[in-house]
Each structure stands twice: as structure tokens, then as C-alpha cells.
């Protein structure tokens, strides 16, 4: 067994103290469900166990929800989890980040289904699960930042502003992409859509709301756990995307994927690698071309009209 | 790399190419990508 990275051990210790302190003050475990997926014979159920503040019956204020709030949540480490699928209960344990990721052997009809997730004595919450039709031969894997949602990752200060400061309702969709996805799924009924991003699982609820608000087709999110990992200081985004694509190829060998991304970071390189290793499972690659980055002073400066 | 280029209404390039044995499409927005994908027939076999 490999030794856990020192940064991860420190993070675990801090979380343990914080979680204990919050629980003494009446905070309790709550399950945040994520969209799962599967095929006849199995489903992958995902979610997160967090420690939440009791609201004492007070309604939450409606208003701005800035991006940084998603990152201030506290996970419940190693929490016991019960997943109920088709009337049968399956016990599992959340990981050190409170993340639930378990595959349950069960036969569900293709389409959208619901499973129940609970932790300890929490009320079960419903998690949607997309059961992919074995007759489907086409699917979409889409990047998120700068492919469906404007983030401007090539300019870190703007990306940080968009991610952490901007109200989630102010995030803009990339023009035409929702219609593109609607047309793709309309032309290929039953085609699953997966949103594969290096973004943190903590933003999954906000991202799901964004996709819904902009009429993107619903689909499972495949995100990452930010922060120290068991074997390294910070996760590798590239490794996460390649591992997720390889897993989809293994889980759905009969599907050919349209890979959609942008040229702002590593999507072309990652998709090229996947196409080379899985030539029969790639239908095509679609890349959104970002405008070349301009210096900040050019973006804000005004040009004088040429004197005649 | 094979490429066929079309100017988009915004004056930006819509490009197609062959890389890693697959058709690659590039455009600045969803409308451009749909135009390329639908006209190419690349997804018809799926």
C-alpha cells in the first residue's frame, strides 16, 4: 500500500478537527446527490457527504450565489453511505473527501431512473441516473469551461474572477453550444451526454443549475477532487480526463463518441491521445476555437478615431 | 493534415482536418460546429 502524501495527511487532520468542531455545534451530515449513469446490469452512483449548518427552519435568502461559496463546504470523511436502488439497499463508505462513487449491480431499464442515497440517519435524497440504452451507438463527451460555459481559462485572472467572484447566474454560456447539443441528441435519440471537466466536484450543484438554466441536455458530470490527493499535492487534470475517457470506453464499448472541447488548454492533445488508442470509439472531434488572448491593456483601451 | 476552410459570418474560420485518423472540426461557436458536423456526414455512421 502506497504512503499517503503529506499534504493529504495535513488536509485530513484539518478536516477532522473542523468536522468535529462543527458537529459539536449542531452541524450534521447531509448528502448532495450527483447525476449517475449506467447500463443494464449496473449503475454508477455518485454524490458527496457534507457537513451542513442547521437552518433552524429559517428560509435561505434568495439572491446572489458567488462562485467561492461552493468551495467553502466541509466534507464528511469516511461517512457510511446507503444506496437504495430498485428497492435493494447497498452499503458503502464515502472517501476522505466525502465523495461517494460506487457501482451497484442492478438491472434498470434504459432512460432516466432515480436512486436514493443516505448517510447514517439522514433523510434519503434522490439522485438521477442515466441508464444508457445498449442500442445507442453514439454519445457526446463535452468539456465544460470555455466549451459550454465562458470561463476564459487562458487568462488566469479573468478565469479566477469568473469562477470565484461572479454570481453563478451571471455566468455566460458559449454561443450556440446548447443548440448544437440539442440538435446532436435530436439527431441521435438515446445518445448520452457526459460533461467531463477538471473542475471541482464542489461546483457540481452550481454547474448542474447552469446547464439546466441554459437548456443543455442533462447528463452526468465527471469532475475532480481539488486539493491534495493520496499520491500527489494536486490532481492532474490531464490524467483525470484521460482516465475518465478510458473508463467510458471500457463501460460502453459499443458507443462511438463525439469529443467536444476547446483549444484553450489541453483538450486537443487529450482527445488526440484517446483517438489514437481507441480509434473505433471516436466518431469525430469538435473543437471550439477561442479568440487569441489579447493583453489586458488592449482589451480595455479605447482607440482614437483616425484623424482625417 | 487535410483542411477545408470556410469563412463564418463573423469572419472567423471554420476548419476541418484529419488528425489521428479522425475528422476534426473547429469553429468559434456552436453554430459553426453544427454547420461543419452536419455538412460533413461524419456522424451519419453512428
Amino acid at each position: 500500500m502506497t504512503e499517503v502524501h503529506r499534504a493529504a495527511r495535513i488536509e485530513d487532520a484539518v478536516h477532522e478537527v473542523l468536522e468535529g468542531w462543527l458537529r459539536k455545534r449542531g452541524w450534521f451530515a447531509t448528502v448532495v446527490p450527483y447525476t449517475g449513469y449506467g447500463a443494464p446490469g449496473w449503475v454508477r452512483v455518485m454524490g458527496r457527504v457534507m457537513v451542513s449548518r442547521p437552518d433552524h427552519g429559517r428560509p435561505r435568502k434568495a439572491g446572489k450565489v458567488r462562485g467561492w461559496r461552493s468551495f467553502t463546504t466541509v466534507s464528511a470523511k469516511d461517512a457510511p453511505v446507503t444506496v437504495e436502488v430498485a428497492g435493494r439497499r447497498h452499503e458503502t463508505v464515502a472517501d476522505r473527501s466525502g465523495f461517494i462513487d460506487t457501482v451497484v449491480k442492478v438491472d434498470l431499464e434504459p432512460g432516466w431512473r432515480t436512486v436514493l442515497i443516505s448517510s447514517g440517519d439522514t433523510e434519503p435524497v434522490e439522485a438521477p441516473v442515466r441508464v444508457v440504452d445498449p442500442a445507442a451507438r453514439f454519445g457526446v463527451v463535452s468539456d465544460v469551461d470555455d466549451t459550454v460555459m465562458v470561463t476564459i481559462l487562458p487568462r488566469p485572472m479573468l478565469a479566477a474572477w469568473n469562477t470565484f467572484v461572479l454570481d453563478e447566474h451571471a455566468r455566460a454560456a458559449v454561443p450556440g453550444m446548447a443548440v448544437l447539443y440539442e440538435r446532436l441528441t435530436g439527431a441521435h435519440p438515446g445518445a448520452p451526454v457526459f460533461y467531463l471537466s477538471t473542475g471541482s466536484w464542489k461546483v457540481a450543484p452550481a454547474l448542474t443549475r447552469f446547464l439546466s438554466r441554459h437548456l443543455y441536455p442533462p447528463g452526468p458530470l465527471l469532475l475532480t477532487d481539488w486539493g491534495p490527493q493520496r499520491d500527489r499535492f494536486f490532481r492532474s487534470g490531464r490524467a483525470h480526463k484521460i482516465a475518465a475517457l478510458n473508463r467510458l470506453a471500457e463501460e460502453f464499448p459499443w458507443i462511438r463518441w463525439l469529443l467536444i472541447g476547446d483549444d484553450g488548454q489541453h483538450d486537443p492533445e487529450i482527445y488526440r491521445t484517446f483517438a489514437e488508442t481507441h480509434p473505433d470509439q471516436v466518431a469525430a472531434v469538435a473543437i471550439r476555437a477561442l479568440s487569441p488572448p489579447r493583453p489586458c491593456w488592449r482589451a480595455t483601451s479605447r482607440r482614437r478615431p483616425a484623424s482625417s | 493534415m487535410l483542411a477545408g476552410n470556410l469563412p463564418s459570418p463573423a469572419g472567423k474560420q471554420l476548419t476541418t482536418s484529419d488528425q489521428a485518423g479522425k475528422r476534426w472540426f473547429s469553429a468559434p461557436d456552436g453554430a459553426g460546429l453544427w454547420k461543419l458536423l452536419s455538412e460533413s456526414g461524419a456522424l451519419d455512421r453512428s
Side-chain angles (χ1 to χ4, degrees), chain A residues 195-279:
Chain A
Y195 296 94
L196 172 57
S197 168
T198 54
S200 166
W201 274 115
K202 291 189 173 184
V203 303
L207 182 53
T208 302
R209 291 192 292 271
F210 171 89
L211 295 171
S212 170
R213 204 161 44 240
H214 291 278
L215 298 179
Y216 283 99
L221 307 178
L222 301 173
L223 307 181
T224 58
D225 185 20
W226 282 16
Q229 310 291 295
R230 290 186 67 86
D231 58 345
R232 59 197 304 160
F233 180 69
F234 199 76
R235 62 103 179 93
S236 158
R238 190 178 181 280
H240 158 67
K241 283 196 166 184
I242 288 177
L245 286 169
N246 288 340
R247 180 169 179 163
L248 287 178
E250 199 173 305
E251 290 169 333
F252 305 104
W254 59 88
I255 288 185
R256 297 172 74 238
W257 300 97
L258 171 63
L259 307 175
I260 306 179
D262 64 84
D263 62 1
Q265 290 209 307
H266 307 296
D267 289 342
E269 175 198 344
I270 292 165
Y271 291 167
R272 190 175 295 112
T273 302
F274 183 70
E276 283 168 353
T277 53
H278 299 81

Side-chain angles (χ1 to χ4, degrees), chain A residues 183 272 279 285 287 289 291, chain B residues 12 19 22 25 27 30 34 45:
Chain A
R183 289 183 179 179
R272 190 175 295 112
V285 180
I287 298 292
S291 300
Chain B
K12 293 187 175 176
Q19 295 178 48
K22 297 293 164 190
F25 306 93
W34 173 248
R45 199 165 68 83

Side-chain angles (χ1 to χ4, degrees), chain A residues 137-138 175-177 180 183-184 188 256 258 260 268 271-272 275-276 279-280 282-289 291, chain B residues 1 12-13 15 19-35 37-38 40 42-46:
Chain A
R137 292 290 175 270
F138 172 77
M177 294 305 275
L180 168 67
R183 289 183 179 179
L184 288 169
H188 298 86
R256 297 172 74 238
L258 171 63
I260 306 179
Y271 291 167
R272 190 175 295 112
E276 283 168 353
D280 295 334
V282 177
V285 180
I287 298 292
R288 182 200 166 215
S291 300
Chain B
M1 180 187 293
K12 293 187 175 176
Q13 294 287 301
T15 63
Q19 295 178 48
K22 297 293 164 190
R23 292 299 272 170
W24 286 58
F25 306 93
S26 175
D29 53 32
L33 288 173
W34 173 248
K35 179 178 170 63
L37 285 162
S38 58
S40 72
L43 308 181
D44 292 349
R45 199 165 68 83
S46 301

